[in-house]
Amino acid sequence: VHDIITIGSATRDVFLISHAMHPHRAPDALTHIEACFPFGAKINIDQIHFDTGGGATNNAVTFARLGKFRVAPLTRVGADSAGRDVLQALKKDRVDTTLVQTAVHQQTAYSTILSPGGEIGERTILVYRGASEKFNAREIPWNKLRAKWFHITSLGGNMVLLKKLLAHAKKTGAPVAWNPGGLEIQNVKLKMKNVLNEASFLIVNREEAAKLTGEKFANTKGLLRALAQLAPAVLMTDGPQGAYAVVSKRLSDKEIKRLSQYKNLIAQSLNRSVAYYVPSAGHKPKNLTGAGDAFGSGFLTGWIKSRGDIKYALRLASFNADSVVQHMGAKVGILKEYPLEKQLKKLSVKKINF
């Protein structure tokens, strides 16, 4: 039995850094920042970095490297050099690769990350979803899918597979941490909100929280109140501004039983919903790719290790994400050792009443 099985994508990543892509303010752009360059031009690249990524593998490495958990990603790669690179990187971190599917006639997912470099941190990601988008439920060895925790990330909008995975986790008695992708959030918002009831722990960023709940993006307490109604525990990341953890007062007897090992969590949540805020550890980011995965898996690592100490989990998550954003690549900066207690306590975690 594994400690954690991570489920989602696996990608080959290339980072292209060029000052020619220096961003500028643009009110009409989604993030209000954009970088433009003309077609037909030849753009000089200052640096190039190769790495592997994808939610299933990024989270698996935190669980294996920092948490020292027995972890296996359930993902899909192509029978190509990129797929071999993904497997090699996982084995280097002592991650079990026996659940990785290999697609003979599909290419491994590939991401090209465009960045201006320096300490701007912003980037644009060009994604080819490849084999990760063609997850084959029939090839999943369900009888071998046994773990103390399941950690599910983006499945490319495959809600049928998601429901099967949630049902399997429920059948085996394992709690689920779910970090939905954009297509899952769209489907949940439209017609499948009931799937949220099957997740013990939901991970979203502020924008995703607003989409899921219908609350205003800037209304922090409104978002926290709404999130407390969706799952027993919710983590809402907020980029460089930090993150929030919410524990719901709506825990059912069944959910309490499933999470009974987390005594601190249960004690805090029986009478009322509570939320906590942790700031960013503070370093200016060189790369934001993988920061969300590092925070979510860092939080869950701390949460499990401390038996539900939310303050400890938030601090550990912030340090893990901070280390990742100081390097190019989603895995390079993942922590190998726990920060000292005095380092963790430098981050002041505040309780939020709502």
Side-chain angles (χ1 to χ4, degrees):
V1 176
H2 292 95
D3 292 315
I4 304 174
I5 291 177
T6 63
I7 305 167
S9 63
T11 66
R12 187 66 165 108
D13 294 347
V14 57
F15 293 77
L16 303 178
I17 297 93
S18 173
H19 292 298
M21 293 184 282
H22 194 84
H24 59 270
R25 295 287 176 181
D28 295 333
L30 179 65
T31 60
H32 305 298
I33 301 174
E34 67 180 14
C36 299
F37 47 87
F39 280 112
K42 184 175 287 187
I43 308 296
N44 287 330
I45 300 299
D46 302 314
Q47 299 177 49
I48 185 168
H49 296 275
F50 291 95
D51 200 358
T52 62
T57 71
N58 292 342
N59 291 300
V61 170
T62 286
F63 294 135
R65 189 185 294 179
L66 178 60
K68 306 299 188 291
F69 292 120
R70 298 186 304 274
V71 58
L74 176 61
T75 188
R76 189 173 178 86
V77 299
D80 50 24
S81 61
R84 291 189 290 273
D85 289 339
V86 169
L87 293 173
Q88 184 178 2
L90 290 171
K91 290 175 181 177
K92 185 178 179 180
D93 276 296
R94 299 182 179 180
V95 173
D96 184 356
T97 60
T98 56
L99 296 178
V100 177
Q101 298 179 2
T102 300
V104 177
H105 301 297
Q106 296 164 7
Q107 292 178 295
T108 300
Y110 198 95
S111 293
T112 301
I113 298 94
L114 306 178
S115 170
E119 293 186 337
I120 295 170
E122 282 296 346
R123 79 286 193 228
T124 291
I125 305 177
L126 309 179
V127 182
Y128 168 69
R129 302 194 183 278
S132 286
E133 195 175 29
K134 307 294 182 181
F135 228 119
N136 193 337
R138 292 190 299 273
E139 292 181 17
I140 294 176
W142 296 99
N143 61 325
K144 296 181 180 179
L145 220 61
R146 296 288 188 273
K148 298 175 183 177
W149 270 92
F150 287 97
H151 188 287
I152 304 176
T153 55
S154 175
L155 299 173
N158 190 338
M159 302 303 285
V160 173
L161 176 59
L162 174 64
K163 290 199 292 184
K164 287 183 178 179
L165 290 168
L166 291 172
H168 178 79
K170 185 177 182 179
K171 181 180 178 181
T172 59
V176 175
W178 183 33
N179 179 201
L183 291 175
E184 284 89 42
I185 287 177
Q186 181 179 336
N187 283 325
V188 167
K189 183 180 177 183
L190 289 175
K191 55 187 177 182
M192 300 187 69
K193 213 162 190 174
N194 60 310
V195 303
L196 289 164
N197 296 325
E198 300 300 324
S200 301
F201 183 47
L202 178 67
I203 307 168
V204 292
N205 60 34
R206 180 184 282 268
E207 181 181 356
E208 291 165 342
K211 289 179 179 178
L212 269 178
T213 64
E215 290 289 334
K216 292 182 179 179
F217 179 88
N219 184 3
T220 299
K221 289 189 177 181
L223 288 170
L224 296 177
R225 281 193 294 268
L227 289 172
Q229 302 302 311
L230 297 184
V234 184
L235 180 66
M236 183 179 81
T237 59
D238 197 15
Q241 281 68 49
Y244 303 82
V246 187
V247 180
S248 173
K249 65 182 177 183
R250 297 185 317 111
L251 286 170
S252 66
D253 291 340
K254 189 172 184 181
E255 289 163 340
I256 289 173
K257 184 178 180 180
R258 291 173 73 188
L259 296 172
S260 60
Q261 60 181 305
Y262 303 103
K263 296 177 182 178
N264 293 336
L265 168 67
I266 302 306
Q268 294 174 74
S269 63
L270 286 178
N271 298 320
R272 63 189 185 280
S273 296
V274 292
Y276 293 90
Y277 165 77
V278 67
S280 167
H283 288 93
K284 290 185 177 181
K286 296 180 181 178
N287 156 59
L288 295 178
T289 305
D293 289 335
F295 199 102
S297 54
F299 180 91
L300 189 56
T301 296
W303 198 40
I304 294 172
K305 291 289 187 180
S306 66
R307 298 175 66 82
D309 186 333
I310 291 179
K311 291 183 179 181
Y312 176 83
L314 280 170
R315 289 176 173 130
L316 183 62
S318 187
F319 269 90
N320 195 42
D322 183 68
S323 181
V324 166
V325 301
Q326 294 177 60
H327 301 83
M328 283 296 167
K331 296 183 177 69
V332 179
I334 291 174
L335 294 176
K336 298 179 180 179
E337 303 291 341
Y338 293 94
L340 298 175
E341 192 70 22
K342 63 179 181 180
Q343 291 177 295
L344 290 171
K345 288 187 175 179
K346 288 181 180 180
L347 289 178
S348 177
V349 178
K350 297 180 180 179
K351 186 175 180 179
I352 298 175
N353 296 314
F354 61 93

